[in-house]
Amino acid sequence: MSVKILTDSTSYLSEEICKQLDIRKVSLSVSWNDISIKEVDINNEDFYRMMKEKGIPKSSQPSIGEMLEEMKKVVANGDSLVCIFLSSEMSGTYSSALMVKEMVLEEYKDAQIEIIDSRSNCMQLGFAVIAGAKAAKEGKTLNEIVEIVNQNLKRSRFLFIPDNLEYLKKGGRIGGAKALIGNLLKIIPILTVEDGKTAILTKVRTKKNAVAAMIEKLVRDSSIYGLKEIVVHHINCFIEALDLSKLIEEKLGIKADIVDIGPVIGLHVGPGAIGFVYYTEMDMR
């Protein structure tokens, strides 16, 4: 009997990594009045084109049926399962997973299933999933894997900036007047995820200054806690992401891979958003 890992599409892990580390994944969806599409089935270019034509869609959690099927596949084979999902403050995915777990236990009474609320998303979730999957590959126990996942989450940080405030306004994350004034004054919030919610770390003038402030925070955290790994996130601005990755390598001597943010998270910040996720050798929280 081994331990398997299940996560959701907002971890934005590549199919290559999932295959290599035997990570299972369920997908959230985006939907307009006339169509619903799984996040894993649409690329950013098509999504933002549709968003421009149809307006801002709603996002929805994975279906109960899909989640039930994935969990049953694992326990029916006699394996244990650790599920790591995006923040319960951002989606009902976690609470649905708890319900599905009880459904599975009705049929497989001895099944071992742990559900973890990552309190985050994107590669802050993804790094925790990778840590758990590597531990599973090494033959760690279910309890050991849960501890390793939670430890990773205590050591990670997600910093990102929108290109402008329009999408935050449309998505209801910032008031219309504030967004208008912010865009006029070129005020850019540096966003992070704390206590499971998107929060403003600080505000600066211009995107260039915001990138510099994010780098300053990264360098400071690295000097205090020790940097282990980092990825650069972006939405439809690969060249900027590449420049940011090079800047990080120059400052800290560590290479940052580049990972797209998909539609479910991206619809709240819009194209041009850029940032990074990193985790450290010691706890940051």
Side-chain angles (χ1 to χ4, degrees), residues 13-175:
L13 296 173
S14 69
E15 289 305 313
E16 181 183 357
I17 288 174
C18 290
K19 186 176 180 180
Q20 179 186 342
L21 294 176
D22 194 21
I23 297 167
R24 288 153 173 76
K25 187 162 55 176
V26 290
S27 182
L28 280 79
S29 299
V30 290
S31 59
W32 291 268
N33 290 333
D34 59 340
I35 188 171
S36 179
I37 307 172
K38 283 187 176 182
E39 181 174 39
V40 295
D41 292 334
I42 184 169
N43 61 40
N44 276 351
E45 185 178 350
D46 290 340
F47 171 70
Y48 285 104
R49 175 182 53 77
M50 292 177 69
M51 191 165 165
K52 190 173 182 181
E53 294 169 358
K54 295 173 174 288
I56 291 181
K58 293 180 180 178
S59 59
S60 57
Q61 65 196 53
S63 70
I64 296 295
E66 182 183 4
M67 203 176 286
L68 182 62
E69 181 183 0
E70 287 298 326
M71 288 193 192
K72 276 189 173 183
K73 278 181 191 176
V74 172
V75 301
N77 196 45
D79 295 321
S80 301
L81 182 63
V82 175
C83 306
I84 314 156
F85 296 122
L86 81 160
S87 175
S88 59
E89 299 283 352
M90 300 175 178
S91 168
T93 302
Y94 171 73
S95 59
S96 290
L98 293 175
M99 182 176 66
V100 172
K101 173 184 174 178
E102 295 307 312
M103 294 167 66
V104 173
L105 290 175
E106 287 178 9
E107 186 174 347
Y108 300 90
K109 299 189 186 304
D110 296 326
Q112 290 188 303
I113 303 172
E114 288 289 337
I115 315 289
I116 298 174
D117 180 358
S118 74
R119 309 292 289 166
S120 190
N121 56 46
C122 297
M123 277 299 295
Q124 192 168 22
L125 165 60
F127 275 141
V129 172
I130 289 171
K134 286 181 176 178
K137 283 280 189 182
E138 292 168 2
K140 303 284 191 196
T141 67
L142 183 139
N143 288 338
E144 286 172 333
I145 292 166
V146 169
E147 175 59 30
I148 287 166
V149 168
N150 285 325
Q151 185 184 71
N152 186 278
L153 292 167
K154 291 176 184 176
R155 297 178 178 184
S156 64
R157 197 181 309 282
F158 185 9
L159 301 175
F160 60 105
I161 53 176
D163 187 55
N164 62 70
L165 303 180
E166 197 61 31
Y167 285 82
L168 288 169
K169 182 187 80 171
K170 288 178 181 177
R173 300 300 174 102
I174 189 171

Side-chain angles (χ1 to χ4, degrees), residues 226-238:
L227 183 63
K228 288 283 285 186
E229 198 168 347
I230 183 167
V231 298
V232 170
H233 270 317
H234 77 101
I235 303 174
N236 291 7
C237 56
F238 179 78

Side-chain angles (χ1 to χ4, degrees), residues 201-252:
L201 184 71
T202 188
K203 299 175 186 176
V204 297
R205 284 278 193 91
T206 78
K207 194 173 184 180
K208 182 179 178 181
N209 289 341
V211 169
M214 284 197 304
I215 291 287
E216 183 181 341
K217 176 65 171 171
L218 169 63
V219 170
R220 187 161 60 248
D221 280 348
S222 299
S223 66
I224 297 170
Y225 305 107
L227 183 63
K228 288 283 285 186
E229 198 168 347
I230 183 167
V231 298
V232 170
H233 270 317
H234 77 101
I235 303 174
N236 291 7
C237 56
F238 179 78
I239 298 302
E240 283 186 60
L242 189 61
D243 289 341
L244 181 54
S245 178
K246 289 176 181 175
L247 182 57
I248 291 167
E249 191 167 9
E250 288 172 11
K251 291 281 187 181
L252 294 166

